[in-house]
Amino acid sequence: MKVLNLLMRLVMLVFWVGIAYALLGPGIEEAGSMPLILGGVVLFMHLLQMLMLRQVAGVLHPTVKDYIAVLVFGSFAMHHHRARLKELMAQKR
């Protein structure tokens, strides 16, 4: 599972580099609006995941690095936090 998570993080990095290149590269006219739309949708979902992490910040105490990782990698960075939260909830029972 850890290897798959690392592989998907690499895919997300390639995605963000592709979006940045499409928006800032020399062929922005050829790329059209699709990279902007896709990047906006993914960014919105990652921002929602950051808000979810913020809701449990009192329990998990995430760092700025954790928030940035969730912004870039989304649910692939949330795996660790979900496991910690599940463990803490099991201890309370």
Side-chain angles (χ1 to χ4, degrees):
M1 190 67 163
K2 205 170 203 175
V3 173
L4 182 60
N5 194 343
L6 289 174
L7 181 64
M8 293 313 295
R9 284 180 181 223
L10 178 64
V11 169
M12 284 307 302
L13 278 178
V14 170
F15 172 80
W16 286 121
V17 168
I19 295 294
Y21 181 76
L23 294 175
L24 304 173
I28 191 167
E29 299 85 22
E30 295 173 12
S33 61
M34 187 59 72
L36 184 61
I37 293 168
L38 291 175
V41 168
V42 172
L43 183 63
F44 179 72
M45 290 186 323
H46 289 188
L47 287 171
L48 287 178
Q49 290 171 344
M50 284 178 63
L51 287 174
M52 285 187 255
L53 184 60
R54 179 77 175 114
Q55 287 181 340
V56 294
V59 177
L60 297 178
H61 308 291
T63 63
V64 173
K65 181 181 171 186
D66 292 329
Y67 285 111
I68 292 172
V70 170
L71 182 63
V72 174
F73 301 116
S75 62
F76 306 115
M78 290 287 285
H79 179 72
H80 172 70
H81 301 295
R82 283 191 302 263
R84 280 181 42 209
L85 188 59
K86 188 183 247 186
E87 180 182 306
L88 289 171
M89 295 308 282
Q91 287 176 358
K92 282 189 174 185
R93 291 181 192 183

